[in-house]
Amino acid sequence: MNSTMLQYDVVVIGGGPAGLAAAVKAREYGLNVLLLDENDYLGGILPQCIHPGFGIHYFREELTGPEFSHRFVQRVKDLKIDYFVKARVLEIKNYSDLEKIVVFTSPEGAFEVWTKAIIYATGARERHAFEIGIVGDRVAGIYTAGEAQTLMDIYGVMPGKEVVIVGSGDVGLIMARRFALEGAKVKAVIELMPYPGGLARNVMILRDFNIPLYLSHKVVEVRGKKRVEKVKVVKVDENLREIPGTEFWIECDTIIISAGLIPQVKLLTDIGVEIDPATGGPVVNDLLETTVPGIFVAGNSLLINDLVDYVAEQGELAAYGAKLFIENGGIPAEKWIKLEKGNNIRLAVPHYLSGKRDVYIYVRVKKPMENVVLNFPEIDKKIRLPVVRPAEMLRIRLRKEEIAKAKDKITIEVIQQ
Amino acid sequence: MKTKVAIIGGGIVGASIARVLSKYENLEVHLIEKEADVGWGVSKANTALIHGGYDDDPDKYPMRAKLCIKGNRLWHQWVKELEIPHIWNGALIVALKDEDFDELERLLERGQRNGVPEMRIIDREELFHLEPNVNPNALGALWVPIVGQIGSIPAVIAIVENAVANGVKVHLETEVRGIKVENGEVKGVETNNGFIEADIVINAAGLYADEISKIAGIDYFEIHPRKGEYWIFDEGIPGPNHVLFPTPTPISKGVVVTTEISGHLMIGPNAQDLPKDYKDDTSTTREGLEEVWQKAQEIWPNLPPRWKVIRTFAGLRPEPTGGDFIIKAEEEVQGFINVAGIRSPGLTSAPAIGYEVRDIIERDLGIKLKEKEKWNPYRKEITHFFMLQPNQINELVKKNPAYGRIVCRCNKVSEGDVLEAIERMKFIGVKTPSVDSVKFRTKATTGTCQGSFCKVVIINLLAREYGIPPWKVTLKGKGSEIGIGDVKVLLRGEAQ
Ligand SMILES: Cc1cc2nc3c(=O)[nH]c(=O)nc-3n(C[C@H](O)[C@H](O)[C@H](O)COP(=O)(O)OP(=O)(O)OC[C@H]3O[C@@H](n4cnc5c(N)ncnc54)[C@H](O)[C@@H]3O)c2cc1C
């Protein structure tokens, strides 16, 4: 291959908050870092998130998405980290633990980078109308939330004026407000589950703007000639089965699909990285190393996060992992303690703990419960919580002394008080 | 003096006729299409098979029986000349019951009568050798090696590009609304863009061919739409190595299970007759899609989970009265040629239909055709980044950096590919830029994420190259604009 050869300690793939934080931290550790992103600009999805709510934990002040990413991008520049934008990684080759090749293409040409470690932070993609089983006409006016956000907030395009939003997660709710603020009529937010999917503060938006929320409802069909004209909605029972006779139509010219995110891990699965079906992201240890040694993962390609602060934290941890990996020629641990999912736990990351360091574990429950205890039976740890909701990811610190009490596994479960 | 020819309909049939007629010095050929681009009618949504020619009964449907096998043979040549994406992987018509072999015998015999080479019935052992994951209860199959698959809209585009290179004039967004007939002779067609003079009018209007025929004064047939629906699955899901059919019934060839040319597992179609005035109803339905799913499972039991679906779509077959293709010069109206009711296997037959029409012009209209001295049979396929070798990428990027920039992540389509697509859109006369025009030329937006990342980038490239604001770019022609104005348009009270 006659593409240009480069050599680095760490290649960070993805220039969103996870990748930016990872690149900055790795550079601060003295590593030689290359950062790659396929967009025109660094920042990932943050530059299009012009609402506040970013950085409350990380910077201890409330920033917008562009402000948050700007601070990191400035650090990247100050630290003179090498980066490419418009650079698409085509392939990762894993020669040996300390020899990996990242093949990418960019307007400057095709490159091969030899590297010791990789931090993979490519974020997520959105589920689209076909994946959630919507039938009918394939016409203009159907957008994923992120697509509509990019159109409006990066390119200044107003998609439509009468909007139905499918899904009440944070992204859907924020887009409901975004449309309302620009003068569009948001006719409804339709949510399949019996409870809203977003953070409580975002659910407030609906009241502020007088937007109807239909819980336990589902959009099943779109009709229109050239552009969306109406959508068919139906009520569902506790088992999410449609209730016959409850169908009704809502007239609108725009549908925003905000039905969840899926980690983008294609390049990793191509080289055999093990995926956790619960998160859609890789199986990792407490340094966020995947099942292929020397490949670390952070942010929404690890698991879908609700706060950018956690994403940045994961990026920094992955950078620390990469540093240890390079210094020691691998991540040492005599045995790994498995984090097991018990009652009402949908997902828990990381999957393996060493007991050598404190860790934050990220957990999501399956269904809402009140007055509960988060129980870790093997290590006698209990945390009381007034409420747990699927929409809110729990972040729990386990100290290394606590972890060390376990033999081979730690179960996490939710029990009613 | 040149004979002026107006072909109504820029689908696979109209395009093929235009290409064949572009060979002749003494014809001036106009291809007229109401949509913003070619190939958006029936030719857009179908199974994209180049059929074997064993299926059509030569007694009941002589045109279909004759043109299908001829078309199959011509496609082997056309895909090479025009660099159309294709695969010749053969078909297996699977028997699940003992009685099915009777039908397979009938098909074999009919195929032999139609001149289909190399067909034979294979036993269970050979079937599982060819197709290990077919229903374990399958008993055998009819093996038809000459069956293949192509990109059906890419084929229309390729043919039209070649026709234009050979002098054919394309009129897009031009809808034929009247046909001028004087003293029993055609004089031309009235359109929303004015009158187009013609000595010969060829009606290749797909689903609307009955209406066009009627306005020319000929109404002995009707066309009704028969819907077929499909599922397409994400990449990486193993599909069959061949085109798999169930044993056909008298009404339908049945639901096909295949790995289509871009490597995705695809199942479909069913067959549902719609009322006559539902000619633009290409909506998918839950009942139809469920039916397809059930039937596909009968030959391919290990279908992936539903969330692995990346797209569903529906197409409408133009079913004519009588069931056979109607291809003839109408005697009551001199110069008017119907090419109507081109239902399946119309894609397969299209090149042969082109030559059939040429013969009609010579034989029935008595025009002596004179071949051009220089006619160019070749057309180069657009650059596809995903097909390039690394050294080719570097050479190309050196010349034009746009080829190094990936726009569609899932299918690795570069900005260079998209710019080339836009150039080719302009070459055939596309005036209203649409995402679909780029999609059909490059495959951008057809992957796992269905364009949620790249659509916006493509919209901006189209806006720049066509010199319009991004919101005026369309998804699929006028009326499907991607926006209503810039972000403040509603607040300023300017939305239409
Ligand atoms: C579900 C399905 C599966 C199929 N599978 C196969 C297969 O596997 N193999 C196969 O060989 N065949 C198959 N077919 C059949 C094949 O697709 C058709 O025979 C073929 O595409 C017909 O092409 P056409 O050019 O006649 O029609 P079209 O592609 O519809 O072209 C007609 C054009 O005329 C234009 N038009 C109409 N009215 C006017 C007007 N007034 N003025 C200007 N323009 C006008 C339309 O916009 C359209 O573009 C299938 C069809 C369907 C629906």
Side-chain angles (χ1 to χ4, degrees), chain A residues 67-323:
Chain A
E67 285 168 338
F68 186 97
S69 69
H70 178 74
R71 293 198 181 181
F72 273 105
V73 173
Q74 203 51 51
R75 287 292 290 155
V76 166
K77 290 180 178 158
D78 292 346
L79 290 167
K80 302 200 164 36
I81 295 172
D82 291 346
Y83 71 89
F84 282 86
V85 289
K86 302 186 182 185
R88 168 72 190 177
V89 175
L90 301 174
E91 193 186 0
I92 294 171
K93 296 181 204 167
N94 186 38
Y95 276 161
S96 66
D97 283 3
L98 283 164
E99 292 170 297
K100 302 176 197 317
I101 293 179
V102 175
V103 182
F104 74 92
T105 178
S106 80
E108 277 125 288
F111 295 84
E112 279 194 339
V113 199
W114 283 79
T115 184
K116 295 172 185 157
I118 291 172
I119 298 175
Y120 191 86
T122 57
R125 72 171 180 87
E126 299 178 276
R127 296 214 297 157
H128 51 71
F130 295 106
E131 273 166 307
I132 59 172
I134 295 180
V135 300
D137 293 308
R138 293 162 310 284
V139 287
I142 308 172
Y143 301 93
T144 64
E147 220 177 341
Q149 202 177 38
T150 313
L151 278 173
M152 293 171 81
D153 297 337
I154 305 279
Y155 298 106
V157 171
M158 188 67 190
K161 50 189 170 195
E162 297 199 315
V163 186
V164 168
I165 295 188
V166 181
S168 67
D170 293 315
V171 186
L173 295 168
I174 283 162
M175 285 315 287
R177 174 174 61 195
R178 189 75 193 92
F179 272 101
L181 284 173
E182 292 304 344
K185 175 131 188 67
V186 181
K187 297 193 106 173
V189 173
I190 312 289
E191 171 58 57
L192 180 65
M193 304 306 283
Y195 44 81
L199 300 171
R201 66 162 197 248
N202 288 329
V203 179
M204 296 284 283
I205 291 172
L206 299 177
R207 211 195 307 148
D208 295 347
F209 289 89
N210 222 340
I211 297 168
L213 170 65
Y214 293 83
L215 297 173
S216 298
H217 277 74
K218 171 175 181 188
V219 170
V220 290
E221 189 173 339
V222 174
R223 295 311 298 257
K225 278 208 169 59
K226 296 274 187 167
R227 190 178 174 108
V228 176
E229 289 163 21
K230 55 183 181 176
V231 299
K232 188 180 190 179
V233 181
V234 59
K235 195 166 165 38
V236 298
D237 64 18
E238 317 75 76
N239 301 314
L240 307 183
R241 277 187 312 240
E242 293 166 28
I243 305 173
T246 59
E247 300 85 1
F248 61 97
W249 292 91
I250 303 178
E251 283 179 24
C252 59
D253 63 7
T254 304
I255 301 161
I256 301 299
I257 310 286
S258 177
L261 300 169
I262 299 174
Q264 296 205 96
V265 289
K266 177 83 177 33
L267 292 168
L268 295 182
T269 52
D270 285 350
I271 54 165
V273 165
E274 189 185 337
I275 300 298
D276 173 2
T279 58
V283 170
V284 292
N285 63 25
D286 58 7
L287 292 164
L288 307 185
E289 185 185 28
T290 67
T291 52
V292 172
I295 299 186
F296 299 80
V297 60
N300 277 1
S301 45
L302 170 62
L303 83 168
I304 304 306
N305 288 272
D306 4 273
L307 290 177
V308 74
D309 308 270
Y310 299 169
V311 165
E313 170 181 290
Q314 289 155 17
E316 293 183 346
L317 176 59
Y320 178 65
K323 167 184 129 78

Side-chain angles (χ1 to χ4, degrees), chain A residues 252-404:
Chain A
C252 59
D253 63 7
T254 304
I255 301 161
I256 301 299
I257 310 286
S258 177
L261 300 169
I262 299 174
Q264 296 205 96
V265 289
K266 177 83 177 33
L267 292 168
L268 295 182
T269 52
D270 285 350
I271 54 165
V273 165
E274 189 185 337
I275 300 298
D276 173 2
T279 58
V283 170
V284 292
N285 63 25
D286 58 7
L287 292 164
L288 307 185
E289 185 185 28
T290 67
T291 52
V292 172
I295 299 186
F296 299 80
V297 60
N300 277 1
S301 45
L302 170 62
L303 83 168
I304 304 306
N305 288 272
D306 4 273
L307 290 177
V308 74
D309 308 270
Y310 299 169
V311 165
E313 170 181 290
Q314 289 155 17
E316 293 183 346
L317 176 59
Y320 178 65
K323 167 184 129 78
L324 284 189
F325 177 87
I326 292 167
E327 283 171 0
N328 300 297
I331 300 293
E334 298 85 61
K335 62 167 193 167
W336 291 104
I337 296 159
K338 190 163 192 296
L339 191 62
E340 295 261 9
K341 294 177 286 183
N343 183 52
N344 196 21
I345 300 295
R346 183 153 74 84
L347 58 85
V349 170
H351 305 77
Y352 293 96
L353 312 175
S354 65
K356 296 215 172 86
R357 56 192 72 88
D358 298 355
V359 291
Y360 283 114
I361 61 172
Y362 305 100
V363 177
R364 264 186 215 278
V365 298
K366 289 181 181 156
K367 55 179 199 292
M369 277 170 80
E370 282 178 23
N371 290 323
V372 296
V373 174
L374 269 189
N375 191 33
F376 301 82
E378 287 88 355
I379 58 171
D380 288 329
K381 185 179 173 84
K382 286 186 166 50
I383 302 169
R384 267 167 223 285
L385 291 170
V387 61
V388 289
R389 291 192 198 95
E392 277 159 61
M393 193 163 81
L394 303 168
R395 172 170 164 275
I396 297 142
R397 189 181 174 89
L398 294 183
R399 284 182 296 108
K400 61 181 174 198
E401 301 78 29
E402 290 175 323
I403 300 166

Side-chain angles (χ1 to χ4, degrees), chain B residues 8-15 32-35 37-51 174-177 204-209 212 226-230 253 269-270 314-318 325 339 342-349:
Chain B
I8 308 170
I12 192 72
V13 172
I32 305 168
E33 170 57 53
K34 65 178 174 165
E35 298 292 341
D37 199 349
V38 294
W40 287 5
V42 181
S43 305
K44 171 163 116 172
N46 52 49
T47 323
L49 300 180
I50 300 306
H51 282 290
T174 304
E175 184 174 9
V176 172
R177 292 175 176 165
L207 286 159
Y208 301 89
I212 294 290
R226 181 176 289 172
K227 187 181 279 189
E229 300 184 51
Y230 299 84
K253 288 195 271 272
N270 59 337
L316 297 175
R317 307 166 181 89
F325 295 162
V339 184
I342 310 300
R343 39 99 74 202
S344 189
L347 178 69
T348 312
S349 310

Side-chain angles (χ1 to χ4, degrees), chain B residues 253-456:
Chain B
K253 288 195 271 272
V255 169
V256 170
V257 177
T258 188
T259 305
E260 45 98 67
I261 51 161
S262 44
H264 295 258
L265 172 63
M266 179 174 95
I267 59 174
N270 59 337
Q272 196 208 347
D273 284 316
L274 299 186
K276 194 175 152 3
D277 52 345
Y278 274 52
K279 287 178 175 173
D280 56 1
D281 182 6
T282 52
S283 62
T284 52
T285 68
R286 303 175 89 190
E287 301 71 29
L289 288 169
E290 279 316 318
E291 183 190 349
V292 168
W293 192 281
Q294 298 313 329
K295 292 196 167 153
Q297 235 165 6
E298 288 171 19
I299 39 176
W300 195 256
N302 29 1
L303 287 179
R306 290 287 168 102
W307 53 271
K308 286 286 185 184
V309 170
I310 59 168
R311 197 163 179 86
T312 55
F313 68 94
L316 297 175
R317 307 166 181 89
E319 290 291 329
T321 314
D324 202 5
F325 295 162
I326 298 165
I327 305 175
K328 61 189 274 211
E330 300 293 353
E331 276 165 27
E332 295 103 290
V333 181
Q334 265 294 310
F336 184 73
I337 301 175
N338 263 323
V339 184
I342 310 300
R343 39 99 74 202
S344 189
L347 178 69
T348 312
S349 310
I353 293 174
Y355 286 101
E356 182 75 16
V357 169
R358 179 206 55 191
D359 293 348
I360 288 174
I361 292 177
E362 281 202 308
R363 186 187 64 222
D364 300 339
L365 302 186
I367 292 170
K368 177 107 192 62
L369 295 175
K370 189 165 158 273
E371 277 194 37
K372 287 180 182 165
E373 263 166 41
K374 281 202 195 121
W375 179 77
N376 175 14
Y378 302 108
R379 168 262 182 188
K380 271 209 90 50
E381 170 66 323
I382 184 170
T383 306
H384 289 296
F385 182 94
F386 60 81
M387 291 176 64
L388 299 176
Q389 296 302 312
N391 57 331
Q392 295 175 299
I393 295 176
N394 259 343
E395 271 162 38
L396 213 55
V397 174
K398 248 176 254 152
K399 273 185 254 156
N400 182 355
Y403 284 101
R405 201 257 160 123
I406 299 298
V407 168
C408 165
R409 307 171 181 197
C410 304
N411 287 344
K412 298 200 186 97
V413 177
S414 80
E415 182 177 318
D417 302 11
V418 174
L419 294 174
E420 216 177 303
I422 294 173
E423 241 171 70
R424 287 170 184 243
M425 285 156 60
K426 290 182 172 174
F427 174 69
I428 67 158
V430 174
K431 293 187 288 280
T432 301
S434 73
V435 175
D436 271 6
S437 285
V438 172
K439 159 173 145 180
F440 295 131
R441 284 166 178 82
T442 64
K443 291 189 11 175
T445 81
T446 64
T448 309
C449 85
Q450 288 290 303
S452 40
F453 292 104
C454 63
K455 221 188 289 160
V456 179

